[in-house]
């Protein structure tokens, strides 16, 4: 990583008159030239910027309907949806930027677009019809406030290590943003006045998606305070309700979202194929789990934006730690390895798939027994996943199989049948699967998490919903409630499921999940 300012040893930095405060010493090492000669030279003699050939994104055909959905819930309110800002990883280095999912959904922007941008849905006088001219007659007009590319005669151009073109590359111009998204783009410096316009007791109500950008939330608070309006909880529309609505808007995916999820799944399946190819290297390495992790993650970066969440590469007993992401363990012959991983494509939709693989390519008898129980539980969940089923009943279907199998194996406590265990007062079987069977999937791996319970857990499945089915069984090495042969193994099988008009489609069906299919697939891949 390069020092945060251009180095020119020949031009001494201006000496400080007083010692710097500790908090200001972040650029202590900097030797930025300050001479007028340097400034005049570095800001001159650049060729005209090339036309980047930006075109309208495919998503831009779909985002007007998404914004209209939000608009309809909040007539007359100004809706503020920040992309978020850069987050410090340590000292003066940031994490790679990833916009907030509500912003990505409503603008169609993805990858690292665009730090500090803010989408605002401005209320328009009722009856204005179709202010955006996009065929969606809503009472809001969308404007994207962005930090556009700075001109080459600015200090930002060459000296700003966070935003400058010399440091992080050229950002799109306002025109480029509009072409790409179909949304009017304005300079972020106009945001304050735009948000404050007509806000007041009897004026416009200002609502912000919280949790994305603290500085925008602080700005909204300041505008409310100046206007003498405070956000109170029993108001008919609150920030929380906006967050909830933005989440619920994603419960049913449109065509473009489903296409992106298919793409994410396809890239993820390729990643799993590469993982199988890496297993002999993994066994040979002292941190074999890292071989698996880095194999998958490299594929995710090459073919997508990134991983959608930290890859879980859990060999042997580590598989009983549900979110094992340290991935520093050895991969041993004879054991299984649980790999839970997803490629997030450039639009930021992610897959979320788990396979539990025998390291040597063949399951032992006891591994197969546990694996088959989990597979049967998954199949039972698939069998009920169709329009009209309650979301929570997918889990119930899987748990019936898990409890029955545990009873058959004599693992439930004395006197506890599967039926007793399945009752609300029982639930003993959950010792070996403490997580849920399903979650919605989309831009967030745990998508739609802020949706109301009646639309999520108690919600009814509709065509276009996408979620996981991911039962598991986890027997810890020190679990005295199970016979020794089960100890130290964890199995999870996770697929991504689309609800169709009359049932469901397993989007990840191309990745083998039956034991015999896994064995044949591994044998083929390993030659
Ligand atoms: N990888 C997280 C999950 O399966 O929900
Ligand atoms: Mn999952
Ligand atoms: Mn997962």
């Amino acid at each position: 990583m390069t020092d945060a300012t251009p180095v020119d040893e020949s031009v001494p930095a201006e000496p400080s008159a007083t010692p710097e405060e500790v908090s200001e010493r972040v650029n202590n090492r900097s030797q930025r030239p300050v001479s007028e000669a340097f400034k005049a030279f570095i800001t001159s003699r650049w060729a005209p910027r090339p036309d980047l050939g930006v075109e309208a994104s495919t998503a831009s055909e779909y985002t007007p309907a998404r914004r209209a959905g939000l608009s309809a819930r909040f007539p007359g309110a100004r809706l503020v949806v920040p992309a978020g800002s850069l987050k410090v990883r340590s000292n003066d280095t940031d994490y790679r930027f990833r916009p907030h999912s509500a912003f990505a959904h409503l603008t169609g922007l993805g990858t690292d677009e665009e730090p500090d941008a803010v989408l605002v849905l401005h209320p328009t006088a009722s009856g204005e019809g179709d202010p955006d001219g996009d065929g969606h007659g809503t009472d809001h007009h969308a404007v994207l406030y962005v930090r556009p590319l700075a001109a080459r005669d600015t200090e930002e151009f060459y000296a700003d290590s966070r935003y400058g073109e010399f440091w992080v590359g050229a950002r799109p111009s306002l025109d480029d943003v509009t072409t790409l998204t179909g949304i009017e783009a304005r300079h972020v410096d106009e945001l304050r006045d735009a948000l404050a316009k007509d806000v007041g007791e009897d004026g416009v109500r200002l609502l912000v998606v919280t949790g994305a950008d603290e500085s925008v939330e602080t700005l909204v608070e300041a505008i409310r305070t100046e206007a003498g309006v405070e956000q109170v909880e029993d108001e008919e529309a609150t920030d929380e309700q906006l967050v909830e609505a933005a989440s619920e808007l994603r419960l049913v995916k449109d065509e473009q979202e489903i296409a992106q999820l298919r793409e994410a799944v396809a890239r993820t399946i390729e990643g799993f194929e590469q993982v199988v190819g890496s297993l002999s290297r993994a066994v040979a390495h002292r941190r074999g789990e890292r071989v698996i992790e880095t194999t998958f993650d490299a594929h995710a970066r090459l073919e997508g934006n990134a991983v959608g969440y930290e890859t879980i590469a859990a060999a042997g007993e580590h598989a009983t730690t549900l979110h094992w992401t340290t991935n520093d363990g050895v991969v041993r012959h004879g054991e299984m390895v649980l790999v839970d991983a997803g490629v997030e494509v450039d639009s930021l939709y992610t897959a979320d798939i788990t396979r539990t693989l025998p390291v040597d390519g063949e399951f032992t008898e006891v591994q197969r027994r546990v694996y088959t129980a989990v597979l049967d539980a998954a199949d039972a969940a698939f069998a009920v996943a169709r329009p009209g089923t309650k979301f929570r009943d997918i889990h119930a279907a899987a748990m019936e199989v898990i409890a029955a199998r545990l009873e058959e194996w004599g693992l439930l406590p004395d006197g506890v049948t599967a039926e007793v265990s399945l009752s609300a007062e029982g639930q003993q079987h959950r010792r070996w699967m403490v997580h849920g069977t399903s979650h919605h999937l989309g831009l967030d791996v745990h998508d739609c998490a802020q949706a109301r319970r009646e639309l999520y857990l108690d919600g009814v499945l509709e065509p276009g919903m996408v979620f996981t089915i991911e039962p598991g069984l986890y027997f810890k090495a020190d679990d005295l409630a199970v016979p020794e042969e089960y100890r130290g193994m964890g199995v999870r099988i996770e697929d991504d499921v689309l609800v169709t008009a009359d049932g469901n489609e397993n989007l990840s069906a191309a990745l083998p999940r039956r034991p015999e299919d896994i064995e044949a697939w591994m044998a083929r891949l390993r030659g």
Side-chain angles (χ1 to χ4, degrees):
M1 170 148 262
T2 315
D3 204 2
T5 46
V7 176
D8 183 347
E9 307 273 356
S10 65
V11 185
E14 270 177 357
S16 317
T18 51
E20 285 170 311
E21 296 290 329
V22 168
S23 62
E24 289 164 3
R25 288 182 203 160
V26 56
N27 281 328
N28 238 351
R29 70 208 175 288
S30 97
Q31 304 181 60
R32 186 205 304 171
V34 293
S35 71
E36 289 307 318
F38 166 74
K39 287 184 190 173
F41 190 48
I42 196 166
T43 56
S44 63
R45 295 182 60 188
W46 300 103
R49 293 185 190 282
D51 179 355
L52 298 176
V54 174
E55 291 176 3
S57 69
T58 312
S60 68
E61 293 169 34
Y62 295 85
T63 54
R66 299 176 195 166
R67 294 192 297 271
L70 205 58
S71 167
R73 291 253 315 243
F74 301 95
R78 178 169 293 132
L79 311 177
V80 183
V81 188
S85 57
L86 290 161
K87 291 183 180 56
V88 172
R89 181 177 184 278
S90 74
N91 188 29
D92 61 345
T93 54
D94 297 319
Y95 287 103
R96 181 178 291 123
F97 181 70
R98 199 265 190 202
H100 189 274
S101 294
F103 178 88
H105 185 236
L106 295 166
T107 63
L109 292 171
T111 57
D112 56 357
E113 298 155 338
E114 199 44 58
D116 303 327
V118 182
L119 172 70
V120 181
L121 302 188
H122 290 288
T124 53
S126 242
E128 269 184 39
D130 186 12
D132 285 336
D134 57 18
H136 290 274
T138 73
D139 286 338
H140 284 85
H141 172 66
V143 179
L144 249 177
Y145 295 87
V146 295
R147 181 190 285 273
L149 186 58
R152 276 134 159 191
D153 59 359
T154 60
E155 206 163 293
E156 176 181 311
F157 170 56
Y158 64 89
D160 187 329
S161 64
R162 212 169 194 201
Y163 296 107
E165 186 174 344
F166 255 71
W167 296 85
V168 295
R171 284 192 305 278
S173 67
L174 292 178
D175 284 348
D176 287 343
V177 171
T178 297
T179 304
L180 185 65
T181 62
I183 302 173
E184 178 185 348
R186 302 191 74 89
H187 198 296
V188 75
D189 287 353
E190 296 177 28
L191 180 67
R192 190 181 211 294
D193 289 347
L195 291 189
K197 189 166 182 294
D198 301 330
V199 170
E201 197 69 57
D202 301 315
V204 169
R205 184 192 301 275
L206 196 53
L207 299 176
V208 60
V209 170
T210 52
D213 189 328
E214 263 181 46
S215 67
V216 175
E217 288 171 42
T218 305
L219 176 62
V220 165
E221 278 307 320
I223 292 169
R224 284 180 184 146
T225 305
E226 272 170 37
V229 285
E230 303 293 338
Q231 165 99 332
V232 287
E233 283 196 2
D234 60 356
E235 274 183 321
E236 70 196 58
T238 61
D239 292 343
E240 276 194 2
Q241 284 169 315
L242 179 59
V243 170
E244 180 182 280
S247 201
E248 291 172 358
L249 202 55
R250 309 205 303 265
L251 280 165
V252 175
K253 270 63 182 173
D254 63 31
E255 267 176 36
Q256 188 258 350
E257 296 183 280
I258 292 168
Q260 291 302 302
L261 283 160
R262 286 186 192 282
E263 172 79 12
V265 167
R267 302 289 80 79
T268 299
I269 290 174
E270 292 164 1
F272 272 86
E273 288 167 352
Q274 299 208 357
V275 162
V276 170
S278 79
L279 283 177
S280 52
R281 266 194 307 124
V283 170
H285 196 282
R286 70 194 155 79
R287 296 206 290 186
E289 291 174 344
R290 289 282 168 93
V291 173
I292 294 169
E293 175 196 316
T294 52
T295 299
F296 188 88
D297 291 12
H299 184 73
R301 273 301 278 169
L302 285 170
E303 303 301 332
N305 183 53
V307 288
Y309 54 91
E310 296 295 322
T311 295
I312 297 168
E317 138 90 358
H318 284 162
T320 69
T321 301
L322 300 176
H323 287 172
W324 173 257
T325 54
T326 310
N327 300 342
D328 62 354
V330 292
V331 174
R332 295 185 183 84
H333 287 297
E335 292 185 335
M336 294 185 289
V337 59
L338 183 158
V339 183
D340 182 342
V343 172
E344 176 190 85
V345 289
D346 287 351
S347 58
L348 306 179
Y349 287 82
T350 189
D352 178 12
I353 299 179
T354 307
R355 289 293 182 265
T356 309
L357 308 172
V359 171
D360 300 319
E362 282 183 27
F363 292 96
T364 65
E365 191 277 324
V366 65
Q367 288 168 351
R368 188 182 301 263
R369 192 187 316 153
V370 175
Y371 188 96
T372 303
V374 175
L375 184 65
D376 291 349
D379 286 349
F382 271 99
V384 299
R386 67 177 99 78
T389 296
K390 268 195 175 177
F391 186 82
R392 60 164 63 254
D393 289 341
I394 305 168
H395 175 68
M399 288 309 93
E400 277 190 29
V401 173
I402 293 288
R405 235 25 93 76
L406 292 167
E407 178 185 35
E408 205 177 291
W409 298 340
L411 302 192
L412 295 177
D414 285 346
V416 176
T417 60
E419 195 183 340
V420 169
S421 190
L422 288 165
S423 69
E425 299 72 36
Q427 298 293 308
Q428 290 87 345
H429 60 283
R430 295 295 299 279
R431 174 187 178 110
W432 297 291
M433 183 189 145
V434 296
H435 61 79
T437 302
S438 297
H439 57 79
H440 280 268
L441 179 71
L443 284 163
D444 289 333
V445 62
H446 298 157
D447 211 35
C448 314
Q450 287 76 32
R452 282 166 290 179
R453 192 182 175 93
E454 60 262 38
L455 296 182
Y456 199 127
L457 259 188
D458 293 328
V460 175
L461 302 189
E462 289 178 44
M465 287 183 168
V466 177
F467 49 79
T468 64
I469 289 182
E470 52 174 309
L473 276 172
Y474 312 89
F475 300 115
K476 291 192 172 292
D478 56 355
D479 187 343
L480 302 183
V482 299
E484 216 168 315
E485 62 174 348
Y486 292 112
R487 292 183 199 159
M489 92 172 61
V491 172
R492 177 161 65 252
I493 306 168
E494 178 173 27
D495 285 285
D496 300 341
V497 187
L498 167 69
V499 180
T500 58
D502 56 0
N504 67 69
E505 177 186 345
N506 180 358
L507 298 176
S508 42
L511 191 58
R513 53 198 288 282
R514 310 206 164 274
E516 56 281 12
D517 294 343
I518 286 182
E519 289 172 349
W521 169 72
M522 290 181 73
R524 179 169 55 77
L525 288 173
R526 296 168 130 192

